[in-house]
Amino acid sequence: MLDAVSDTKQFDLRALRNAFGRFATGVAVVSLTDADGQATGVTISSFSSLSLEPPLCLFSLGKNQVSCRWIEAGNGFNVNILRDDQQGAAWQFAKPSEDKFDGVAWYEGRNGLPVIADNLCHFECAHWETYDGGDHIIVVGRIDHFEEGRGDPLVFYRGAMATVSQ
Ligand SMILES: Cc1cc2nc3c(=O)[nH]c(=O)nc-3n(C[C@H](O)[C@H](O)[C@H](O)COP(=O)(O)O)c2cc1C
């Protein structure tokens, strides 16, 4: 019988990453607070709707991401779906920084966690469950409040940002 490691297919990781990149997604920032209560966040493309009753959504986070620590604290998070004019914020939250929110307008949501201003849509979430997903964790949130804004979405495809009109 094969053990778990030898059973695992050894793909070329760059080729696999490129293949994953063929799935066009929107771009979101998960916003939350760090151990000091400071607003922080992380850019994600792994957002998905999950359930209507109860209202759930999910995303995955690399286990090495600093934000995993703040997710695991269990205080909840907000998911901000970005508009096509928020490309700067998308890249800013995808880089390590002492102050991820530097120059980014935000306000406190009903749950007391940061919301990025002028988003296309945002979901205020309580931590529901975390699952193991290989080198990522799968984070499920229960949506307690959501609001839709105006505009068109920012799109991520094959490593680049685009708009739906492009
Ligand atoms: C468009 C885009 C989508 C991304 N999606 C994810 C994702 O779904 N999960 C993830 O763990 N990292 C994703 N990243 C990478 C993180 O944003 C990046 O590693 C970030 O620096 C992590 O921040 P942290 O270490 O402060 O948590 C994405 C980056 C970009 C530009």
Side-chain angles (χ1 to χ4, degrees):
M1 196 167 121
L2 294 171
D3 64 37
V5 174
S6 55
D7 199 21
T8 303
K9 282 213 183 329
Q10 295 298 309
F11 292 113
D12 177 305
L13 296 185
R14 180 164 289 278
L16 180 58
R17 182 190 282 251
N18 289 346
F20 282 157
R22 288 289 189 168
F23 187 58
T25 67
V27 183
V29 170
V30 172
S31 52
L32 67 180
T33 49
D34 66 16
D36 299 325
Q38 190 190 339
T40 186
V42 53
T43 301
I44 58 150
S45 56
S46 53
F47 173 81
S48 177
S49 55
L50 178 60
S51 163
L52 290 175
E53 292 181 310
L56 303 176
C57 64
L58 66 80
F59 62 93
S60 63
L61 257 193
K63 287 178 180 171
N64 292 332
Q65 311 291 33
V66 173
S67 307
C68 277
R69 296 183 213 159
W70 323 134
I71 289 288
E72 280 161 1
N75 299 326
F77 51 85
N78 294 333
V79 180
N80 306 265
I81 311 295
L82 298 187
R83 266 186 355 195
D84 55 6
D85 59 353
Q86 293 179 310
Q87 204 178 127
W91 289 121
Q92 181 163 326
F93 283 94
K95 283 186 281 194
S97 160
E98 283 293 303
D99 181 9
K100 291 267 190 108
F101 270 91
D102 186 26
V104 177
W106 64 280
Y107 58 91
E108 255 183 35
R110 294 184 185 191
N111 58 3
L113 299 175
V115 175
I116 294 180
D118 303 319
N119 57 68
L120 187 56
C121 182
H122 74 269
F123 301 94
E124 299 191 13
C125 299
H127 185 265
W128 176 266
E129 191 58 85
T130 305
Y131 301 95
D132 185 66
D135 57 12
H136 280 54
I137 55 170
I138 301 163
V139 183
V140 179
R142 186 198 67 220
I143 299 163
D144 290 332
H145 177 70
F146 67 94
E147 278 175 45
E148 281 192 68
R150 288 168 186 272
D152 290 321
L154 187 59
V155 174
F156 192 59
Y157 180 61
R158 300 188 78 185
M161 306 278 177
T163 64
V164 281
S165 58
Q166 280 172 343

